Amino acid sequence: MFQDKTLVCKDCGQDFVFTVGEQEFYAEKGFQNEPARCKDCRTARKASSNGGAKRERVMYDAVCAECGKETQVPFKPTNDRPVYCKECFDARR
């Protein structure tokens, strides 16, 4: 059904092969478009989109609404909803 295809990278202009295995993967995932960039250009683009590093998670100080313990959460707490420490949150699940 599939055959290797030679495509042209839209960034560097070099030819690259869209292999049978890659085509099967794309079909399995439901992707409609063929890749527009070669592997090297895709990797470089991914690295540059986030500065080459993972974003550091910002944590906010909060006080648990259940036990009163100081804790940190990955979202900015507001007064309209209670915030729980990990232990109290897990107990409420």
Side-chain angles (χ1 to χ4, degrees):
M1 182 170 152
F2 294 109
Q3 292 181 1
D4 286 355
K5 291 183 181 180
T6 302
L7 304 175
V8 178
C9 177
K10 77 178 205 176
D11 286 351
C12 69
Q14 297 294 313
D15 290 347
F16 67 97
V17 177
F18 186 33
T19 66
V20 169
E22 291 170 329
Q23 292 175 54
E24 289 170 347
F25 174 80
Y26 271 54
E28 180 183 306
K29 296 295 181 184
F31 298 150
Q32 299 293 316
N33 300 321
E34 296 177 339
R37 294 176 178 85
C38 66
K39 183 170 178 15
D40 291 339
C41 289
R42 283 196 313 265
T43 302
R45 184 174 165 91
K46 285 178 188 177
S48 69
S49 69
N50 65 2
K54 292 184 178 180
R55 281 188 5 201
E56 189 171 321
R57 178 179 256 182
V58 176
M59 300 295 282
Y60 298 89
D61 293 327
V63 176
C64 178
E66 183 101 5
C67 70
K69 182 172 95 174
E70 289 188 16
T71 188
Q72 288 195 322
V73 292
F75 56 89
K76 190 168 186 170
T78 60
N79 292 332
D80 62 334
R81 299 191 72 185
V83 175
Y84 301 102
C85 66
K86 180 172 178 16
E87 292 79 17
C88 292
F89 180 80
D90 289 342
R92 295 178 68 82
R93 278 188 178 184

